[in-house]
Amino acid sequence: MADEAPFQFLHHELIQYIYKTAENGEAENGRNITKLENMGFRVGQGLMERLTKETARFKDELDVMKFICKDFWTCVFKKQIDNLRTNHQGIYVLQDNKYRLLSQLSAGKQYLDLAPKYLAFTCGLVRGALSNLGVKSIVTAEVSIMPACKFQVMIQKM
Amino acid sequence: MSRQSNRTTDSKKMNSELFTLTYGALVTQLCKDYENDEEVNKQLDKMGYNIGVRLIEDFLARSSIGRCQDFRETADVIAKVAFKMYLGVTPSVTNWSPAGDEFSLILENNPLVDFVELPDNHSTLVYSNLLCGVLRGALEMVQMAVDVKFSQDTLRGDNVTEIRMKFIKRIEENLPAGDE
């Protein structure tokens, strides 16, 4: 498949579905995010399995993160992460200046409060991908200006 | 770095796997949420419909294909252009009814089911039912009411995957009342 439109539409329907089935309150909102994240987790795992079929063993954690930023991101979003930062103590910040799943929304503030919906699945993707490489993590995301987006990866020590 | 060497060659394939896996996650979730397969089928069709009504715009804008003269041409465009563009496969068009209002799309390999095996307790689940909704929704936006359903599915032991499409009627443009 040469095309990303089906994935984008499917992702959108996914969000619509999850949110339509339960439209009440803050607590539900958290659960919806979790649901989306869990779906992403499974997809990330599968994808990583396929993607690393023929790659060499990773040297260390940083090497793994680089792989996520380059190959994994290119595979999913057709571009690399624009900026990777770390405090060398297990926290990584991945910045994407033009995050695909938000690029169809207005760049203004109008839909800023909807943005978290569009990030949850991807957080799961990253977490799942890492988990399949033996790295346990917590992934969160934030948007300050559309469509730029920061993913924070906190590595959990085993 | 050596690990990047063969990336470009299979990036297209990888992207289709992303779609396949995401779709799998969706169906899994639906099966958890609903008691029976019929409900899941219905939900998949509904979601497909929503995708279809939006996908048609993307399709028309990018393929520069105009109005189809008859249902045969529609069939050709669906199989040779649309399926190729979005799923990377070209189904064959066969089994025309004598009246020319019904045909089948035969899919040699269905990209949606790449890693799928149906457990025994989901015998009535139409796994790829989303596709029916997409086709129905997209065609409705170009004034064609069509009935779409799976009549064979490799997941359920058939030799091929067959989507049966039946033309129902042309949807008339609705003029606002009192407007000529």
Side-chain angles (χ1 to χ4, degrees):
Chain A
M1 179 192 334
D3 206 86
E4 63 170 339
F7 172 69
Q8 290 224 359
F9 285 123
L10 185 66
H11 178 256
H12 181 80
E13 278 307 310
L14 217 73
I15 294 167
Q16 293 302 317
Y17 164 70
I18 293 284
Y19 274 83
K20 220 179 333 181
T21 45
E23 277 183 329
N24 31 14
E26 195 65 18
E28 282 293 346
N29 193 23
R31 248 187 53 211
N32 291 339
I33 298 278
T34 313
K35 266 191 192 169
L36 281 173
E37 218 241 347
N38 284 339
M39 288 163 102
F41 182 80
R42 184 65 200 90
V43 175
Q45 277 189 320
L47 214 54
M48 209 44 158
E49 207 170 283
R50 311 281 302 168
L51 200 61
T52 51
K53 221 166 29 182
E54 281 155 25
T55 56
R57 190 174 283 273
F58 295 103
K59 285 200 297 285
D60 51 18
E61 212 173 83
L62 187 64
D63 207 21
V64 170
M65 290 312 292
K66 278 189 190 158
F67 185 80
I68 296 273
C69 293
K70 286 186 181 155
D71 298 57
F72 185 74
W73 219 259
T74 314
C75 158
V76 180
F77 297 116
K78 304 261 169 66
K79 73 189 280 291
Q80 297 187 5
I81 280 285
D82 295 299
N83 192 336
L84 169 66
R85 281 186 219 195
T86 175
N87 66 354
H88 296 290
Q89 284 167 3
I91 294 185
Y92 295 84
V93 176
L94 285 65
Q95 185 173 338
D96 189 337
N97 292 333
K98 196 169 181 296
Y99 176 58
R100 273 298 158 127
L101 297 173
L102 289 180
S103 60
Q104 312 285 352
L105 299 182
S106 156
K109 287 204 164 63
Q110 193 180 2
Y111 296 114
L112 204 56
D113 52 330
L114 294 179
K117 290 185 186 183
Y118 288 81
L119 300 168
F121 184 80
T122 311
C123 288
L125 270 187
V126 176
R127 195 165 65 88
L130 284 170
S131 113
N132 233 9
L133 297 177
V135 180
K136 210 174 152 206
S137 60
I138 295 175
V139 183
T140 52
E142 58 171 5
V143 179
S144 41
I145 309 163
M146 301 265 238
C149 168
K150 276 182 193 165
F151 293 90
Q152 187 177 357
V153 180
M154 263 186 279
I155 310 280
Q156 309 287 94
K157 290 287 170 251
M158 296 272 188
Chain B
M1 266 199 275
S2 60
R3 75 166 58 108
Q4 288 181 352
S5 58
N6 56 4
R7 189 180 61 207
T8 43
T9 48
D10 59 7
S11 78
K12 273 183 184 170
K13 185 149 172 12
M14 284 310 301
N15 199 276
S16 104
E17 285 175 2
L18 169 70
F19 182 71
T20 307
L21 289 166
T22 308
Y23 185 67
L26 167 69
V27 179
T28 313
Q29 182 68 40
L30 288 173
C31 286
K32 265 188 222 158
D33 290 355
Y34 292 101
E35 299 281 306
N36 64 47
D37 293 346
E38 283 307 315
E39 281 297 314
V40 177
N41 293 344
K42 214 193 276 175
Q43 188 65 35
L44 281 172
D45 183 79
K46 208 160 88 187
M47 294 170 88
Y49 178 83
N50 293 342
I51 294 178
V53 297
R54 306 177 75 202
L55 199 62
I56 186 72
E57 298 196 12
D58 182 76
F59 177 73
L60 292 177
R62 284 168 39 187
S63 63
S64 66
I65 281 175
R67 192 173 282 274
C68 287
Q69 295 307 316
D70 56 16
F71 203 43
R72 278 178 192 272
E73 193 184 339
T74 312
D76 271 349
V77 170
I78 290 172
K80 298 204 179 97
V81 190
F83 264 79
K84 180 134 194 52
M85 184 155 144
Y86 292 117
L87 292 176
V89 292
T90 313
S92 46
V93 180
T94 52
N95 294 344
W96 278 98
S97 65
D101 63 345
E102 226 178 302
F103 69 90
S104 293
L105 292 169
I106 307 283
L107 282 160
E108 296 280 323
N109 47 356
N110 178 357
L112 287 183
V113 302
D114 269 351
F115 315 110
V116 179
E117 230 175 85
L118 277 190
D120 292 335
N121 57 344
H122 283 296
S123 52
T124 51
L125 177 70
V126 185
Y127 185 85
S128 317
N129 210 30
L130 186 96
L131 285 183
C132 295
V134 172
L135 288 166
R136 191 165 56 85
L139 289 176
E140 194 173 305
M141 289 297 114
V142 288
Q143 272 106 39
M144 266 185 253
V146 179
D147 182 54
V148 190
K149 59 176 184 290
F150 276 88
S151 52
Q152 293 191 71
D153 194 342
T154 45
L155 274 185
R156 286 181 294 174
D158 297 319
N159 287 328
V160 287
T161 299
E162 177 180 353
I163 303 174
R164 192 76 182 151
M165 304 198 38
K166 185 180 191 327
F167 181 81
I168 302 171
K169 62 167 183 171
R170 182 161 289 278
I171 301 166
E172 298 300 329
E173 307 246 6
N174 275 338
L175 289 174
D179 213 42
E180 270 309 304

